[in-house]
Amino acid sequence: MSVTTRTDELPLAASAEMLFTELPLVERVRALDERGFQVEIWDWTAKDLDALAATGATFSSMTGYVTGNLTDVDGIADLLATAEQSLRAAAVIDSPRLNLHGTGLDEKGLPVIPREVVSPSDWLTAARTLERVAALGERYDRVFTLENLNTAVDHPGTPFARAADTLALVAAVDSPHLRLNLDLYHAQIGEGNLTDLVERALPFIGEIQVADVPGRCEPGTGEIAYPAIAAALRRIGYTGVVGLEGWARHSTEDALAAFRSAFGIPAP
């Protein structure tokens, strides 16, 4: 089914990796699509992309690399090669955005090569690498998004992880084919001050992801005042996708209803 919204509504997406987990992946995608959500997936390499495309769902984002990092020679080569592979995969499901991190992550979300400190030359190299990533995105008419992560709970040792870091890198590149995936769950743990953050980051945001803190479940289960965040997003004129990248505290149906309610979006 197609996803339609009123002009004053924020388009909503939801993670097929974290919701309806009792179902096979293709059925998760169908279930989210039937409920009017765009769909987000992670690693595409073990997925049947043709089957996902056949669901007719609108995909919002997917992982945009397989291996690599932003700063060392071999890691950069891997990142660029697998980013181009990911672009070809994105064409199958017509995902407009492909997600990146400051370094490759393992199956537990931990950095393959942890780095607590990055040097000034690392920052310069990372920005130059991301310029090359943006050029790939331009060639394929897709957008790469650089996601902020938290290092206190989920991703210790990840370089370029804070929202301030990702914002600095994306602003330095300043390309429409490299934007922020501003994850407010991670930002709340690492930095807080979310309303100010979205205002400062607005020109560079490609997508916003949400979950509550603690627990990484749907809005309303923790400390973040998501209705206030939603009001701020409308006030500053954000019109992009907001994606629920969180677990369901109880049922996925309840989680999706709470997500809609927090952002003032009625059920279709």
Side-chain angles (χ1 to χ4, degrees):
M1 63 178 286
S2 61
V3 177
T4 59
T5 59
R6 299 196 313 264
T7 56
D8 63 337
E9 290 181 357
L10 293 168
L12 301 184
S15 172
E17 309 286 350
M18 304 176 78
L19 299 165
F20 289 120
T21 55
E22 72 279 9
L23 300 175
L25 183 71
V26 171
E27 295 308 312
R28 299 179 203 177
V29 169
R30 286 200 180 97
L32 291 171
D33 177 61
E34 288 167 358
R35 287 155 180 80
F37 293 91
Q38 297 183 34
V39 180
E40 302 190 347
I41 63 170
W42 295 342
D43 178 19
W44 54 269
T45 59
K47 294 178 171 62
D48 185 338
L49 296 175
D50 290 328
L52 295 181
T55 65
T58 298
F59 289 88
S60 176
S61 71
M62 55 176 273
T63 300
Y65 71 112
V66 180
T67 58
N69 60 60
L70 299 175
T71 55
D72 70 71
V73 174
D74 290 340
I76 292 168
D78 286 345
L79 179 72
L80 294 172
T82 61
E84 189 156 17
Q85 293 168 10
S86 299
L87 285 162
R88 290 192 287 269
V92 179
I93 61 173
D94 197 23
S95 175
R97 285 173 292 278
L98 296 92
N99 201 44
L100 302 170
H101 307 108
T103 190
L105 304 175
D106 66 17
E107 66 278 0
K108 296 181 180 179
L110 300 176
V112 176
I113 303 175
R115 297 188 65 186
E116 300 293 340
V117 178
V118 291
S119 69
S121 64
D122 289 330
W123 280 95
L124 181 57
T125 301
R128 288 175 174 168
T129 302
L130 289 168
E131 288 175 351
R132 298 171 70 183
V133 169
L136 277 175
E138 183 175 14
R139 189 186 312 164
Y140 285 82
D141 195 26
R142 307 277 169 185
V143 177
F144 284 94
T145 55
L146 185 63
E147 182 182 9
N148 62 294
L149 302 171
N150 80 80
T151 58
V153 176
D154 298 290
H155 307 283
T158 302
F160 311 110
R162 299 182 310 143
D165 300 338
T166 56
L167 176 56
L169 287 168
V170 170
V173 175
D174 195 17
S175 165
H177 296 279
L178 178 72
R179 303 280 87 176
L180 293 171
N181 179 357
L182 186 58
D183 190 308
L184 298 184
Y185 161 79
H186 291 304
Q188 173 68 3
I189 293 172
E191 295 151 273
N193 202 15
L194 299 184
T195 300
D196 177 71
L197 174 60
V198 295
E199 290 180 352
R200 287 187 288 112
L202 179 64
F204 300 102
I205 297 173
E207 179 174 340
I208 289 174
Q209 289 185 331
V210 304
D212 221 330
V213 176
R216 203 175 188 179
C217 294
E218 69 271 16
T221 58
E223 67 191 20
I224 302 178
Y226 273 115
I229 298 294
L233 292 176
R234 291 187 172 91
R235 175 175 54 79
I236 65 177
Y238 177 74
T239 58
V241 170
V242 177
L244 176 59
E245 191 179 54
W247 307 104
R249 173 67 59 88
H250 298 297
S251 75
T252 295
E253 298 287 7
D254 289 345
L256 293 174
F259 179 36
R260 284 188 180 279
S261 177
F263 284 86
I265 309 296

